[in-house]
Amino acid sequence: MASSSSFLLLAVLLALVSWQATASDPSPLQDFCVADMNSPVRVNGFVCKNPMEVNADDFFKAAALDKPRVTNKVGSNVTLINVMQIAGLNTLGISIARIDYAPLGQNPPHTHPRATEILTVLEGTLYVGFVTSNQPAPNRNKFLSKVLNKGDVFVFPVGLIHFQFNPNPHKPAVAIAALSSQNPGAITIANAVFGSDPQISDDVLAKAFQVEKNTIDWLQAQFWENNHN
């Protein structure tokens, strides 16, 4: 009996691990599930709109992604088209973004907690990279980077910290990114750590970064601008 119980427990644990390893946006069980943004019901994603009321505009947005955007003080602007802009993306597991980079501009280190990203450079040059998760020495937090030119493609695995930087001091750059989630999310590292509301205790951050508390206080006093629109 004990052996049988142990086997059952092992099977349940393996099933849970397997489920976590394959977790992603829910797969559609019908042709579409246009998000009903007015429904009071809250689910993981959005409730489906009555399919009899669906029309072509539910799958459309005049996004003008061919037009340049004004960049902010970090020198970038991310224009994301996700389920909040196109309700028909609900359950389809995909979104897209245009990223504009000023000369020497960057999309600072950030993660997408729910999506892998594939980036294509449309104009200019980008220096890009990501850092792997905590690993045993000597490969812990390995940094992988590449210089991309017009037409080049690069992939950022889901959840890993990554960035893009335009090294050209005279010319802007533009990229298009596709992401494997209807709502990939973005956590910009500096904004989250030093610009949270309410602020994380400077005692905690000083210990974590091994610096004096006045350094943390100075960082928390900065304006951490969001470049994701």
Side-chain angles (χ1 to χ4, degrees):
M1 179 65 71
S3 177
S4 177
S5 298
S6 298
F7 177 79
L8 179 60
L9 179 60
L10 178 60
V12 171
L13 289 173
L14 287 174
L16 287 172
V17 170
S18 175
W19 174 80
Q20 290 289 348
T22 59
S24 62
D25 279 6
S27 297
L29 300 177
Q30 57 275 324
D31 287 347
F32 50 76
C33 173
V34 173
D36 183 355
M37 301 299 185
N38 298 316
S39 173
V41 179
R42 294 290 176 262
V43 297
N44 184 24
F46 296 94
V47 173
C48 299
K49 182 178 179 179
N50 184 338
M52 299 303 294
E53 299 175 3
V54 168
N55 59 59
D57 285 337
D58 291 316
F59 302 89
F60 169 79
K61 182 177 180 63
L65 290 187
D66 59 322
K67 301 293 192 297
R69 265 61 174 177
V70 175
T71 57
N72 64 9
K73 70 175 185 178
V74 297
S76 67
N77 186 311
V78 180
T79 305
L80 176 65
I81 308 299
N82 64 6
V83 69
M84 305 305 294
Q85 287 78 42
I86 301 180
L89 282 174
N90 192 39
T91 76
L92 298 187
I94 193 170
S95 53
I96 193 171
R98 173 189 169 113
I99 313 171
D100 290 79
Y101 310 85
L104 300 180
Q106 66 169 290
N107 188 10
H110 63 282
T111 74
H112 301 295
R114 295 179 289 276
T116 293
E117 175 182 349
I118 183 166
L119 183 95
T120 303
V121 179
L122 299 184
E123 296 292 342
T125 299
L126 291 176
Y127 170 57
V128 307
F130 68 86
V131 181
T132 64
S133 58
N134 298 352
Q135 303 290 336
N139 294 320
R140 58 178 175 238
N141 301 118
K142 186 173 183 179
F143 175 49
L144 302 173
S145 65
K146 191 79 175 176
V147 174
L148 307 181
N149 297 305
K150 182 176 180 178
D152 288 345
V153 176
F154 196 82
V155 173
F156 303 104
V158 59
L160 298 186
I161 295 174
H162 60 282
F163 69 89
Q164 302 105 35
F165 171 69
N166 177 9
N168 193 312
H170 306 295
K171 295 182 179 180
V174 181
I176 287 285
L179 301 111
S180 62
S181 173
Q182 66 180 40
N183 186 21
I187 303 171
T188 305
I189 307 306
N191 301 45
V193 174
F194 301 113
S196 65
D197 183 16
Q199 291 181 341
I200 301 172
S201 166
D202 56 3
D203 289 313
V204 171
L205 295 180
K207 185 74 170 181
F209 288 95
Q210 297 292 286
V211 297
E212 297 296 327
K213 286 204 295 183
N214 58 0
T215 301
I216 298 298
D217 293 338
W218 182 85
L219 288 167
Q220 290 180 323
Q222 305 310 303
F223 175 69
W224 296 98
E225 191 167 9
N226 179 20
N227 67 331
H228 288 70
N229 294 321

